[in-house]
Amino acid sequence: MPIDPHLLAVFTATTIVALITPGPDMLFVLGCGLRGGPRAGLLATVGVITGDALYVAAAAAGLAVLLTTFPVVFTVLRLAGAAYLIYLGIQTIRKRKNSQADDPAGRGMSGRRAFLNGVVSSMANPQTFTFMIAFLPQFIDPAAGPVWLQFAILGAVLIVLEFLADATVGVLAGRIGGWLRGRQAVRRRLDAATGSVFIGLGVTLAVER
């Protein structure tokens, strides 16, 4: 087996515990689900997972050297991601007054937009990448097999577990949001709350070091 079974079991248990605590990705998916319904919540999760998968592939290929050799790249990506989330939050709040006229069916956010926003949000947060290159190696045993393959397996397990957790949150939020979006006054407050979540995530990402 290309990976130590004991390390894999410990990694899986540790990851599940970590995923129980809501993080930026889960909050992002929650906001998309509330605005666009179960489908938007699910596709936002797929978008986030797609970005994470690309980071896993990059980390497995040894591209972690880019961020460690050129710290400015990390800073640029972090600030770009923060600016995008803040922009998304502001746009959500600004459009809440015209939401009924622009979207009489109460869809709020299309699945395509939710997916693309998920990809951009994930890729614009380099801390996901640094987390992977700091966390995953702790469960890798060079004597058990190729390091890149172990990295890929652990990354795949992480992605599957994250998908299950975030998709559950996104779909449930979508069902609740679907009921709320049928009420215009509540819907406006919902958009304002969602926009505030996005802005808060952006500010947090900008100030973190």
Side-chain angles (χ1 to χ4, degrees):
M1 187 173 182
I3 190 169
D4 185 280
H6 174 70
L7 288 178
L8 180 59
V10 174
F11 170 79
T12 301
T14 304
T15 301
I16 291 174
V17 172
L19 289 174
I20 292 176
T21 304
D25 287 345
M26 184 177 289
L27 292 176
F28 178 82
V29 168
L30 174 68
C32 290
L34 288 174
R35 284 204 71 208
R39 184 170 181 269
L42 181 61
L43 288 178
T45 300
V46 174
V48 168
I49 294 303
T50 299
D52 288 352
L54 293 175
Y55 271 141
V56 168
L63 296 184
V65 129
L66 178 65
L67 293 183
T68 55
T69 305
F70 303 101
V72 67
V73 175
F74 178 91
T75 301
V76 170
L77 288 175
R78 177 172 57 81
L79 293 178
Y84 173 75
L85 287 173
I86 292 173
Y87 166 79
L88 188 62
I90 292 174
Q91 288 297 100
T92 300
I93 293 174
R94 286 183 59 190
K95 291 179 179 179
R96 75 186 189 281
K97 293 182 179 180
N98 300 320
S99 59
Q100 187 69 17
D102 295 340
D103 186 17
R107 291 182 300 253
M109 177 182 289
S110 69
R112 180 174 179 273
R113 182 182 177 189
F115 170 78
L116 293 176
N117 284 343
V119 174
V120 174
S121 176
S122 175
M123 293 300 295
N125 183 5
Q127 290 182 344
T128 300
F129 186 72
T130 56
F131 169 79
M132 290 180 181
I133 63 177
F135 180 63
L136 269 61
Q138 299 181 47
F139 303 92
I140 290 177
D141 180 10
V147 171
W148 70 268
L149 182 56
Q150 294 185 60
F151 218 120
I153 292 174
L154 293 177
V157 172
L158 173 63
I159 287 173
V160 169
L161 293 175
E162 183 180 5
F163 174 79
L164 293 175
D166 288 356
T168 299
V169 170
V171 170
L172 290 177
R175 294 191 181 281
I176 296 173
W179 179 80
L180 294 176
R181 285 191 304 275
R183 293 152 178 78
Q184 187 174 357
V186 176
R187 183 181 171 193
R188 289 176 179 175
R189 294 190 182 93
L190 182 63
D191 285 344
T194 302
S196 299
V197 169
F198 288 157
I199 292 174
L201 290 176
V203 171
T204 300
L205 183 58
V207 301
E208 284 184 349
R209 293 293 184 269

